Amino acid sequence: MQRILAHVKPERRDKELIYNPTYPIFWQRSMHFETIEQALSIFIPWVTPVLKLSGLYQRGARNAIDVQITPLTVVDPQLPAGFDGFRLLFMSDLHIDGNDALIEPLCALLDTVDADVCLLGGDYRFRMHGNLRKVMDRFREIVPHIHAKEGILGILGNHDSWEMIKPMERLGIVMLINESVDIERNGERIWILGVDDPHFYKCDDYHKANRAIPEQAFRILLAHSTNILAKFSDEPVSFCLCGHTHAGQIQLPIFGPIITHSHFKGEFIYGRWQYRHISGYTSSGAGTSGVNVRYNTRSELALITLRRQ
Ligand SMILES: [Fe+2]
């Protein structure tokens, strides 16, 4: 335990001790009540029985495991020439211990992808608390199916615990807790920055992650939620990758998503977006949380190709 404590950055550990979601006291839990939709979350346990009674459950469960590749091209003339065609596999919101039926189709799909680097966008656990053993067992199953030449990088989401960091790194996943790494090709570099959870624990620190990076560098920012953008003014981010919303997971016709857990709505819930000078992408995620169903949204792995023009 001491070895893990020494490894984990204190800001994450301390926030989890203060804002632990398993605390029963209302004012501590109320740290999460930033929107009215959060109040709707108390009805989540009723969703499965209602769907089963209505006969819609099986269709939603099938949708949840029908994970697909979403191809995406990001064009930026500032991209170093050696990285033209560089491919990033972005996999967010796995909630990997919550849906056993997802593992087989996910591994089969991963086997069809050859990427240069794999980026994990956080939310690996189904609940926000509880045992981590099944999460790690699942990762042990899926990591051999991830084919990425430069390796796997990850961040923590609001469902994750600092206790995951060391076991994930033992599996070869480099966890970025307000840190950055560079990838080098023929003397040129791009930088991947990873911040801690900006949604629930609010321990993201872009400036700390950016500290060692040269001014003109090409930067890809990995953040669990677009909430990080609220703190930005003129940060030199080349492209930003987020998850967290699940694209609403359940979208009603005409009305759209009911719960997104996000301050940023509209285009920021799913797909490509532009915030001031920063362009980015919010993934609908590979897994599901709360209820293992999807309606009018899809489970995805985003495969991003970087191009100079
Ligand atoms: Fe999630």
Side-chain angles (χ1 to χ4, degrees):
M1 182 60 81
Q2 280 308 313
R3 198 161 65 89
I4 294 174
L5 280 171
H7 172 81
V8 178
K9 307 299 176 287
E11 60 269 32
R12 173 72 188 207
R13 195 173 62 230
D14 294 347
K15 291 262 183 172
E16 285 190 31
L17 292 171
I18 296 166
Y19 303 130
N20 189 324
T22 61
Y23 281 2
I25 301 168
F26 178 78
W27 70 265
Q28 285 168 317
R29 292 187 64 113
S30 71
M31 295 299 292
H32 200 36
F33 272 70
E34 74 278 296
T35 61
I36 189 71
E37 68 182 42
Q38 185 59 37
L40 295 173
S41 301
I42 61 172
F43 296 107
I44 286 175
W46 296 95
V47 173
T48 298
V50 168
L51 288 171
K52 283 184 174 171
L53 277 173
S54 68
L56 291 169
Y57 183 81
Q58 286 304 325
R59 199 181 86 195
R62 278 197 303 275
N63 291 342
I65 61 170
D66 184 24
V67 55
Q68 295 175 34
I69 299 284
T70 302
L72 190 70
T73 302
V74 173
V75 179
D76 190 329
Q78 304 303 316
L79 179 72
F83 288 87
D84 194 32
F86 193 82
R87 303 214 304 172
L88 309 110
L89 175 64
F90 180 48
M91 184 159 51
S92 187
D93 296 271
L94 283 158
H95 299 283
I96 200 70
D97 56 331
N99 191 353
D100 291 344
L102 176 67
I103 306 303
E104 196 179 317
L106 177 64
C107 290
L109 187 62
L110 283 168
D111 277 331
T112 68
V113 180
D114 271 317
D116 289 294
V117 69
C118 175
L119 306 176
L120 303 178
D123 272 13
Y124 312 114
R125 180 164 58 179
F126 190 69
R127 297 183 182 279
M128 288 185 70
H129 53 84
N131 199 306
L132 303 174
R133 183 171 295 174
K134 193 172 177 186
V135 181
M136 293 309 145
D137 287 345
R138 290 301 185 219
F139 263 111
R140 246 172 247 117
E141 285 181 64
I142 67 167
V143 163
H145 297 271
I146 299 174
H147 309 288
K149 295 182 195 76
E150 305 285 351
I152 309 170
L153 308 172
I155 54 171
L156 293 177
N158 56 297
H159 280 244
D160 304 325
S161 162
W162 57 268
E163 292 165 293
M164 290 179 184
I165 296 172
K166 202 67 184 175
M168 289 184 76
E169 293 200 331
R170 283 193 202 107
L171 292 174
I173 302 165
V174 176
M175 297 301 291
L176 301 175
I177 315 297
N178 299 322
E179 294 163 302
S180 61
V181 294
D182 63 316
I183 299 173
E184 191 261 336
R185 270 191 175 182
N186 304 324
E188 295 178 308
R189 291 169 196 273
I190 62 170
W191 293 77
I192 314 281
L193 297 81
V195 292
D196 206 343
D197 169 41
H199 172 68
F200 183 81
Y201 293 109
K202 298 180 174 65
C203 40
D204 54 301
D205 190 338
Y206 170 83
H207 297 288
K208 193 171 176 183
N210 190 48
R211 211 162 32 190
I213 304 180
E215 204 171 314
Q216 299 303 319
F218 187 89
R219 293 167 171 80
I220 292 171
L221 173 62
L222 195 55
H224 181 61
S225 157
T226 51
N227 282 5
I228 191 173
L229 297 172
K231 299 175 186 172
F232 278 9
S233 52
D234 56 355
E235 280 72 8
V237 174
S238 309
F239 197 73
C240 180
L241 285 166
C242 302
H244 180 62
T245 62
H246 300 201
Q249 197 168 305
I250 297 174
Q251 287 209 20
L252 301 180
I254 302 170
F255 187 81
I258 307 164
I259 296 175
T260 62
H261 295 307
S262 177
H263 291 302
F264 286 77
K265 306 295 184 190
E267 66 196 297
F268 297 96
I269 300 302
Y270 175 62
R272 293 288 290 261
W273 46 260
Q274 184 75 34
Y275 180 79
R276 297 180 183 166
H277 65 290
I278 300 172
S279 59
Y281 181 80
T282 303
S283 172
S284 58
T288 43
S289 70
V291 190
N292 286 328
V293 294
R294 281 189 183 268
Y295 298 99
N296 301 315
T297 66
R298 50 187 283 196
S299 298
E300 71 170 17
L301 309 180
L303 186 59
I304 299 140
T305 305
L306 302 180
R307 290 285 180 201
R308 278 169 63 84
Q309 56 187 350

